[in-house]
Amino acid sequence: MRDQGLLLVLALFFSLAAGLVGCIALMRRMLLAGDVISHLALPGLGLAFAFKLNPLMGGAVTLFLGTFLVWQLQKKTGLATEAAIGVIFAAALAIGAAVTPSEDLAQSLFGRLDRISPAGFLLGLAAVLFVVFSIFTLKDQLSLSIFSTDLAAATGVKIARLDLYFLLLFSLTVLVGLRFMGALLASALIIIPSATARQLTDRLSQFFFLAVVASSVSVAGGFLLNAFVFKFSTAGPTIATFAAALFSLSLIARTT
Amino acid sequence: MTKLLSVANLNVRFGNREIIHDLSFEVHEGDCIAIIGPNGAGKTVLLSALLNLIPYKGQIRWSPKARLGYVPQKIAADRQLPLSANDLLAAKARFLKLPSVELQLVSAELGLANELLSTSIGALSGGQFQKILIAFALLGRPNVLLFDEPTASLDELTEEHIYELLQTLQKEKGMTMLLVSHDLSIVYRNANMVLCLSSKGKTCMGPPKEVLTPATLEELYASPPQYYQHIHQHERERESRIPQEREK
């Protein structure tokens, strides 16, 4: 019970970071590239399970390797980059599925809410707070570079460094989310709430605020719905479906 | 006059294509240098190199006194971004740690109404967008303004307004300017020096009266000679064919 409480608290903090990171990712039009990054955790999770290591450590290693790879690819544009990201995505999923022991596969793909150590809780919390703090400090540089990399660079923003920093924040958020959502759905809470918020506002501050609200409502709603109604082994799919339902509502709100 | 910029033996290449070849010039305080030339001659590329946005060979030396403001020609900005004009300007002001009155002062100078500032960038007209870009450049009190085709795609009235603004900046604030423009009347009116870039990599520089002669302009903007040759050859072939057809 204590674990469930800690996990819910961490998940709510995670939703805060996911909502903010999602807003930036949406504006940078890199939601899908981000999705690919999250799948890169899978081979690492699988190998860690196979060798009986801490799965999150394994996930972290391949996740950050993948982040670096995508950063390098991002600097080049055009069809080759698209293709490379597509290949990395498929390969990561395939290798991950192949190396993961079958009894651990579902957990790797969809996450599982069961136990958490106090150290794991504190590390997760620290990571989330670091992401939130960084997004707030980098908000202006990010806005400028999203508007125009040339103008931002002429203003003194170091673009390549900022790109890498943001990708790392994205990966860190995914890493915290792996525990609840698994490699397949970790980026769902980054992608969906920001898309929901975008439907509802054209204002930057409201956009951030609504994304965080949508994200935390999804976590709380999905978590409770799963705990008391569906009772699946993992709450990830319920949370992601809840987020998608909110997105559908936002579409209706926009058209009416 | 203090020297603000010296460029020596500047070369810029994109792959195999040499865009700027061995360009050298200087800019002094209070100068208004018009950069003219046909499309593809490297005018925007030159500004990008001066702003250190692209790799180049040679020397570009800005005096420590120079504070640059840049008004780009086109922004590939995503017009669907949830950013208002004010979000953008405030982001720059905060990033440069400018005092908070700075944004109000610039807005007042350019006559930007609060209503305009709170408009989302996607909903701005061409002229309004241009004004916001100028305001963006003026934040931080630059003393050198790099201005790329300031009035491309603007209607005449707005164009006139932007140029009045430029003249005010130049005359009242002693702003140094590098101005890319196709509009020769503007060049005559504002510039004390003209730098011409041709697509063949040839350059010339001098006061407008010396550089803007029919001869240099024709050389600068004329189509490359091989184009004429091609036409001639084509016509000759056709001419030689016509009599034969007649014979049939």
Side-chain angles (χ1 to χ4, degrees), chain A residues 137-138 140-142 144 152-158, chain B residues 89-98:
Chain A
T137 19
L138 294 175
D140 293 325
Q141 294 188 50
L142 287 165
L144 294 175
T155 308
V157 177
K158 304 268 178 285
Chain B
L89 296 172
K92 177 173 176 180
R94 279 192 301 259
F95 175 65
L96 295 180
K97 299 191 170 62
L98 303 175

Side-chain angles (χ1 to χ4, degrees), chain B residues 127-145:
Chain B
Q128 291 170 330
F129 192 67
Q130 188 71 359
K131 265 188 153 182
I132 297 296
L133 288 182
I134 295 175
F136 188 92
L138 292 180
L139 270 178
R141 303 281 145 195
N143 55 1
V144 184
L145 209 52

Side-chain angles (χ1 to χ4, degrees), chain A residues 58-174:
Chain A
V61 170
T62 47
L63 196 56
F64 288 115
L65 276 179
T67 305
F68 188 74
L69 202 63
V70 170
W71 179 56
Q72 286 296 321
L73 283 171
Q74 253 188 2
K75 292 194 209 165
K76 307 172 180 77
T77 47
L79 191 61
T81 316
E82 286 273 287
I85 289 181
V87 172
I88 295 171
F89 167 72
L93 213 54
I95 295 170
V99 298
T100 310
S102 56
E103 67 272 21
D104 296 317
L105 191 58
Q107 188 180 350
S108 295
L109 289 173
F110 301 112
R112 185 184 285 167
L113 281 166
D114 45 11
R115 280 174 297 115
I116 185 168
S117 65
F121 174 77
L122 288 176
L123 270 177
L125 198 61
V128 164
L129 291 177
F130 176 72
V131 171
V132 173
F133 174 77
S134 300
I135 295 288
F136 272 110
T137 19
L138 294 175
K139 181 169 64 70
D140 293 325
Q141 294 188 50
L142 287 165
S143 303
L144 294 175
S145 81
I146 287 165
F147 176 65
S148 156
T149 46
D150 273 1
L151 272 190
T155 308
V157 177
K158 304 268 178 285
I159 300 292
R161 205 164 69 186
L162 185 67
D163 284 348
L164 179 62
Y165 199 175
F166 178 67
L167 280 174
L168 289 173
L169 292 176
F170 192 104
S171 301
L172 199 56
T173 310
V174 167

Side-chain angles (χ1 to χ4, degrees), chain B residues 3-181:
Chain B
K3 198 200 296 175
L4 282 183
L5 167 69
S6 78
V7 174
N9 310 107
L10 179 69
N11 285 280
V12 181
R13 293 182 149 272
F14 287 160
N16 291 332
R17 210 162 90 76
E18 188 164 59
I19 312 284
I20 293 176
H21 175 71
D22 218 14
L23 178 66
S24 303
F25 66 96
E26 287 181 349
V27 178
H28 295 88
E29 210 175 322
D31 272 350
C32 177
I33 305 216
I35 302 166
I36 64 168
N39 290 330
K43 304 184 294 293
T44 299
V45 170
L46 174 60
L47 291 193
S48 302
L50 294 179
L51 287 160
N52 204 13
L53 300 176
I54 51 170
Y56 59 83
K57 288 213 173 92
Q59 275 184 344
I60 294 177
R61 266 205 221 118
W62 285 102
S63 139
K65 277 194 206 155
R67 294 184 309 278
L68 309 187
Y70 173 44
V71 185
Q73 180 185 9
K74 269 187 233 131
I75 291 261
D78 187 345
R79 288 259 172 160
Q80 289 178 1
L81 288 173
L83 286 174
S84 69
N86 192 59
D87 286 333
L88 202 63
L89 296 172
K92 177 173 176 180
R94 279 192 301 259
F95 175 65
L96 295 180
K97 299 191 170 62
L98 303 175
S100 54
V101 290
E102 187 75 14
L103 179 50
Q104 291 164 19
L105 287 175
V106 170
S107 307
E109 257 168 52
L110 294 180
L112 304 176
N114 281 338
E115 201 186 336
L116 179 69
L117 286 171
S118 60
T119 307
S120 127
I121 51 162
L124 294 171
S125 73
Q128 291 170 330
F129 192 67
Q130 188 71 359
K131 265 188 153 182
I132 297 296
L133 288 182
I134 295 175
F136 188 92
L138 292 180
L139 270 178
R141 303 281 145 195
N143 55 1
V144 184
L145 209 52
L146 291 85
F147 220 140
D148 197 352
E149 290 284 1
T151 56
S153 76
L154 296 185
D155 62 67
E156 267 176 49
L157 204 68
T158 324
E159 196 179 306
E160 197 53 38
H161 185 75
I162 300 275
Y163 278 113
E164 271 171 25
L165 191 71
L166 283 190
Q167 262 177 333
T168 316
L169 288 171
Q170 206 184 330
K171 303 250 153 71
E172 288 175 17
K173 311 227 160 185
M175 184 90 76
T176 308
M177 290 204 196
L178 282 100
L179 183 72
V180 168
S181 183

